[in-house]
Structures are given as structure tokens and as C-alpha cells.
Amino acid sequence: MAREGMGVAAALASSTLGGTSVVATRFLMGALDPATLGVFRFGIACLLLLPLVAVLRAAWPPRRDWPVVALLGLLFFAAFPFLFNAALAHTTAARGALALSTQPLLTLAAGAALGVERLTPRKAAGVLLAMAGVALALGAGLADAPPGAWRGDLLMVGAAACGTLYSLWSRPFVRRSSPLAFSALGMAAGAAGLAALALSTRPAALPALDPAGWAAVLYLGVIGGALTFFLWVFALGRTTPTRVAISVTINPVVAALLGILALGEPLDRPLLAGLAAVAAGIGLATTDGARPPGDRLP
């Protein structure tokens, strides 16, 4: 039970930090394309994690797992951030956050279909309640839809699907290594894939950013990259995919709260009610006593 609790706590911490990263990502979207932004985010994160792996002598994945770990890294640290960043260029932060909050529902359904995790009424109710809380909290922002916003919404659902598959497929590999080394190897593969994509569209050159822009890049690399995704992988090694994925619903609420604090606006009732619903939904889903049937790959 303590192991499960550590996993849930790590997932919640990861998604809370991820909420702060949404603000930094939106700040940089006008200056950096989605691929270049991902290269900086996960390149910096990888450069931070690799020395820690060496100093702490963390266990690398077995050599036979490296090709799969690299492919999973491309899925989660290349495809996911590219779709995430591209989505925010077409839709609002509120609509994008709601689309991303479909990840726990996708994880619950896919996990049950693939035999990775049991679908229970309590867990399903918790996921749906948390998603309703996100919609309630961001209700005002959902009405402001720019032309073609549906493209961004679909891109964000695609990002959620990438996160779902990574959560379901990576757990056995995480448990055969350390979360630190697994994260570093995956990030290296993802950053390399995004670098290849970025270089195929434009020559290599440092972007022209002001000090605030470089501070945002550094924040995304250290906090939004290294720490956030290490905590996510750590959580996947200790609890079920749905219990990890449902923490995503706290991400947009944190982003909304940060926006309010930055602008000095008062908290409104829908946001507070939505936060309460998200908390209740997470509580329902994470206290379900059903055990997963196993950690086999589908």
C-alpha cells in the first residue's frame, strides 16, 4: 500500500509541475516551433539526468530492452510533446487542457481492453468525475474558440493517446531498470527524434530569445522536463496506469490557478467547484482496491 501511495503522490506532483509547464509553453509558442521547443526541453532534461545516472549508479535497462525503450521514448518524448505544442498553436489553453484530460479515460478503456488493468465502476466514476471537474473549472475559457480550434483539440487528443500507450507499455520495462536511467534513455531518443525533425525544416541556429524567453526554456528543461517526467516514470513503476493518468486532470486546474495568480484576478466559483470535483474524482479512482491482473505487454 505504501508503494501505491508513493506512486500516486509522484503522479500528482508530476501533473502539478506539468500545469506550470503549460504556462511556459504558451509563453514560448510564438518564438519557437513545436519541434525546436521539444528539443530544448528534453535535451536539457537529458543532459541533467545522465550525470545523475552515473553518480547514483542507477540501473540501466537491460541491453535487450534498449530498442523498445528508445521507441517508447520517441512516442512519449517526441510524438507527445510535438502534438502537445502544435495543439496549443491552434486552440486555447482551456480547450487543449480539456482534450488532454481524456488521457485517463483512454488509459482506463485501453488498459481494460488489453488486459493490463481491470475496469471497475468506482474507477470509471472517478475518471468521469475528474473530467467533469476539468470542464467545470475551465468552462469560461471553453467558449473562446478561435477558427479551426477543432484541429488543435484533435492534436491534443492524439497527444493523450501517446501518453496512454506509453503508460500501458512502459511499466514492465521500468521495473527491469531504474526510473532515472529509463527516463534518461527515453529522453535521449525523443530529443534526437525531435532534433532530426527540426533540422529537416530549418538550419541549425540558436533562436533569438530575450532573457525571459531563455528563462522559460531553462524552466521547461529542468522542471518541465527532467523533474516532471522522472516523477511520471517513477509513478508508473509503483501504481496502475489509470491511477497515474488520472493525475493529468489536475494539470489544467493548476495552470488556470497560475494564470489567475499571475493576473491578480479573483478565484471564481466554477474554478473552485471544478477543483473540488477533480480532487473527489482522483480520490475515487486512486482508492479503488481492485488489483491489476498483471504487468504483461499486450
Side-chain angles (χ1 to χ4, degrees):
M1 238 6 230
R3 181 183 179 89
E4 290 276 332
M6 288 176 63
V8 171
L12 289 172
S14 175
S15 291
T16 298
L17 293 173
T20 68
S21 298
V22 172
V23 178
T25 299
R26 289 287 294 174
F27 179 75
L28 289 166
M29 277 312 299
L32 296 176
D33 63 272
T36 302
L37 181 55
V39 171
F40 276 105
R41 183 175 186 177
F42 296 111
I44 292 171
C46 185
L47 290 175
L48 287 173
L49 292 183
L50 285 174
L52 286 177
V53 173
V55 170
L56 299 176
R57 297 181 179 179
W60 286 99
R63 292 277 180 149
R64 69 180 185 276
D65 289 350
W66 281 31
V68 179
V69 174
L71 288 173
L72 288 169
L74 287 171
L75 178 68
F76 198 48
F77 300 110
F80 177 90
F82 180 83
L83 291 171
F84 180 93
N85 296 341
L88 291 179
H90 293 282
T91 190
T92 64
R95 289 171 63 98
L98 183 59
L100 185 62
S101 75
T102 61
Q103 184 175 335
L105 187 61
L106 293 174
T107 302
L108 184 64
L114 297 173
V116 176
E117 187 174 358
R118 291 191 184 97
L119 174 62
T120 67
R122 182 187 181 98
K123 199 176 292 183
V127 168
L128 293 173
L129 179 58
M131 287 182 63
V134 172
L136 180 60
L138 304 179
L142 296 176
D144 301 325
W150 62 269
R151 295 183 179 90
D153 300 339
L154 284 180
L155 287 170
M156 194 64 83
V157 172
C162 290
T164 290
L165 293 176
Y166 180 85
S167 297
L168 293 172
W169 288 343
S170 64
R171 294 182 75 227
F173 298 99
V174 175
R175 292 187 172 187
R176 290 203 287 268
S177 63
S178 71
L180 194 64
F182 185 88
S183 301
L185 186 57
M187 285 181 187
L194 287 171
L197 179 61
L199 290 173
S200 69
T201 57
R202 63 176 60 190
L206 282 176
L209 297 176
D210 58 18
W214 283 114
V217 167
L218 188 61
Y219 181 86
L220 280 176
V222 177
I223 305 300
L227 184 55
T228 296
F229 286 91
F230 163 71
L231 288 170
W232 188 268
V233 173
F234 179 89
L236 285 172
R238 283 159 177 77
T239 189
T240 65
T242 298
R243 284 175 176 163
V244 175
I246 196 174
S247 70
V248 168
T249 55
I250 206 171
N251 180 306
V253 179
V254 170
L257 288 171
L258 262 182
I260 287 172
L261 290 174
L263 296 173
E265 296 176 355
L267 286 173
D268 55 19
R269 290 182 180 178
L271 180 58
L272 290 174
L275 179 59
V278 167
I282 291 174
L284 265 179
T286 57
T287 54
D288 191 312
R291 302 292 299 176
D295 292 318
R296 61 185 181 278
L297 276 173

